[in-house]
Amino acid sequence: MTTKQVEALLSCIKSNAINTADLYTYLNTINPGDFHFTNGTHFPVLIPGLTADGVFADDEYYLSMYERSRGKTTINRAQNYCHNRGTVLPSSWARDNMEKYRSKINESLRAINFPELQEGEYWAEGDMAGYGTMPEISIDGPGVGDWNYYGGSGDNYYKYVRGCVKVYTSPKQVNFVPEIEFAGKACVSDFVFKQMGVSRYLFEKYLKTKSSYPCPGNYLLKNGYCSRQTVYNQEAGIFVNPNLAIKLEMPKRAFTAEQAEVYLKANEQRLPEYFALRQVEKVVPQVNKSLEAIGMKDYALPEDVVNGFWCVENFAKAVDNADNGEEPEKKRLIFINHQNNVDDRFLLVEDIWEHISLE
């Protein structure tokens, strides 16, 4: 388990309000609309750091990006279309799910910029071509891969074509925490501490002495010290955890990605990472109380910090969307001061501790 994988797991747990029971359900079952990732894992929401290459229709078939752009066609041409793209037609069961759960599947397809399912029937493997005698016959042509078509006496069926991938082995679980026991409640074993190189003893010692470190809402002073009270004209930031403090030099208005890039260069500032925004979001009430105490009530943070501010991850995505001609979105800017008061890895493990009991 790498630090990035831990951050990815935490992002999903926190951002999607996933409780422990739900987490175990998600890891062990596949539902229509779940994402398939290139490393063979599955999960119902996108995981930072992993690339989704399909959306499940059922636990055996997931939809690829290949949708026949010219619309409906016959069964043989549908099979040929899929064959040429390394995909297959879905099973009849998966095709039925494509219709039954179309809305949910389309929501997932939109999230990864794949073509959505059409309102209408799709071909499935084993479907009949039409009524009467075989209305369409394909035989090898003069060259490898050449197909010739002959009309029969029956009527052709015309349906939509979606290339799918059949999972011949069960998709792997999102196995970020491979040693988990369940006895009344979930517990993450010492594997987490071992893989992150953290001493469980030192971590628990840190938890017992947290009050001696900067607490959420405390002020970072210009001389680098921490203060629980305001110090006139000496405040430089507000702590959100022992190591991270929001800088007070932040604009009130929202920026497009293009405007934000100009502001960052002009003020020599850097965007925070997604994990930092999540840390801020946990302590919004404490931060806003401290902002108000120093006359910065107008700079108060919204409850949804993750979606309301630019960070490294969502900024890159916004730039790509702008290049595709999409309407630019606006977000606020926030900057983070990092201090080395405790081991950064303690903060990651603490976040796990809060959402999955380590006892």
Side-chain angles (χ1 to χ4, degrees), residues 26-312:
Y26 294 155
L27 292 178
N28 291 286
T29 60
I30 299 175
N31 295 302
D34 286 2
F35 295 100
H36 180 274
F37 300 102
T38 53
N39 66 352
T41 60
H42 63 90
F43 210 60
V45 296
L46 290 172
I47 300 177
L50 295 185
T51 301
D53 62 354
V55 175
F56 280 96
D58 67 7
D59 58 1
E60 286 190 297
Y61 289 83
Y62 65 86
L63 282 64
S64 73
M65 65 182 294
Y66 298 112
E67 169 96 9
R68 189 174 187 273
S69 60
R70 287 183 288 178
K72 297 179 178 180
T73 189
T74 57
I75 182 63
N76 283 341
R77 286 189 169 93
Q79 292 172 332
N80 196 28
Y81 175 89
C82 292
H83 176 77
N84 291 338
R85 289 159 181 79
T87 59
V88 297
L89 293 175
S91 67
S92 59
W93 179 264
R95 187 265 312 281
D96 291 345
N97 277 353
M98 288 162 60
E99 179 177 351
K100 183 177 181 180
Y101 300 101
R102 181 182 286 116
S103 177
K104 183 178 180 181
I105 290 174
N106 278 343
E107 182 179 350
S108 296
L109 290 171
R110 285 195 299 272
I112 56 177
N113 296 315
F114 278 17
E116 296 180 35
L117 294 176
Q118 305 294 319
E119 291 285 345
E121 194 171 2
Y122 279 79
W123 283 114
E125 195 61 52
D127 280 354
M128 298 296 293
Y131 294 110
T133 60
M134 182 65 71
E136 182 180 47
I137 303 171
S138 63
I139 61 174
D140 290 336
V144 177
D146 292 334
W147 284 14
N148 294 323
Y149 299 92
Y150 301 89
S153 61
D155 295 325
N156 274 323
Y157 285 156
Y158 290 88
K159 302 178 185 179
Y160 290 111
V161 184
R162 186 54 172 252
C164 296
V165 176
K166 183 175 182 180
V167 182
Y168 290 97
T169 58
S170 298
K172 294 184 293 184
Q173 299 175 358
V174 182
N175 207 14
F176 292 126
V177 189
E179 295 185 13
I180 299 179
E181 301 173 359
F182 193 81
K185 64 176 181 178
C187 71
V188 179
S189 73
D190 286 335
F191 180 88
V192 172
F193 293 96
K194 180 179 178 181
Q195 293 300 311
M196 294 188 66
V198 175
S199 163
R200 185 176 186 127
Y201 169 77
L202 292 178
F203 173 71
E204 292 178 342
K205 183 178 179 181
Y206 152 70
L207 291 181
K208 293 176 181 178
T209 60
K210 277 188 65 174
S211 60
S212 63
Y213 296 105
C215 299
N218 288 177
Y219 295 98
L220 170 65
L221 303 181
K222 293 178 181 178
N223 61 8
Y225 287 97
C226 170
S227 173
R228 297 178 184 275
Q229 306 295 328
T230 61
V231 181
Y232 180 70
N233 204 33
Q234 293 301 307
E235 303 92 347
I238 298 174
F239 282 98
V240 297
N241 64 31
N243 286 0
L244 303 180
I246 297 171
K247 296 181 180 179
L248 296 183
E249 302 92 350
M250 55 177 171
K252 286 188 291 186
R253 70 183 185 91
F255 296 82
T256 64
E258 184 178 9
Q259 293 168 338
E261 189 171 24
V262 173
Y263 185 95
L264 292 169
K265 289 180 179 178
N267 293 275
E268 298 182 344
Q269 296 283 6
R270 297 178 58 185
L271 290 174
E273 293 185 351
Y274 182 65
F275 181 76
L277 287 189
R278 292 183 51 253
Q279 295 294 299
V280 174
E281 188 171 284
K282 292 195 300 183
V283 294
V284 166
Q286 297 95 312
V287 171
N288 282 344
K289 182 178 180 180
S290 295
L291 285 172
E292 184 175 0
I294 56 175
M296 294 184 65
K297 184 178 181 179
D298 292 343
Y299 293 81
L301 308 182
E303 291 184 3
D304 189 1
V305 171
V306 168
N307 292 317
F309 286 81
W310 289 115
C311 65
V312 173

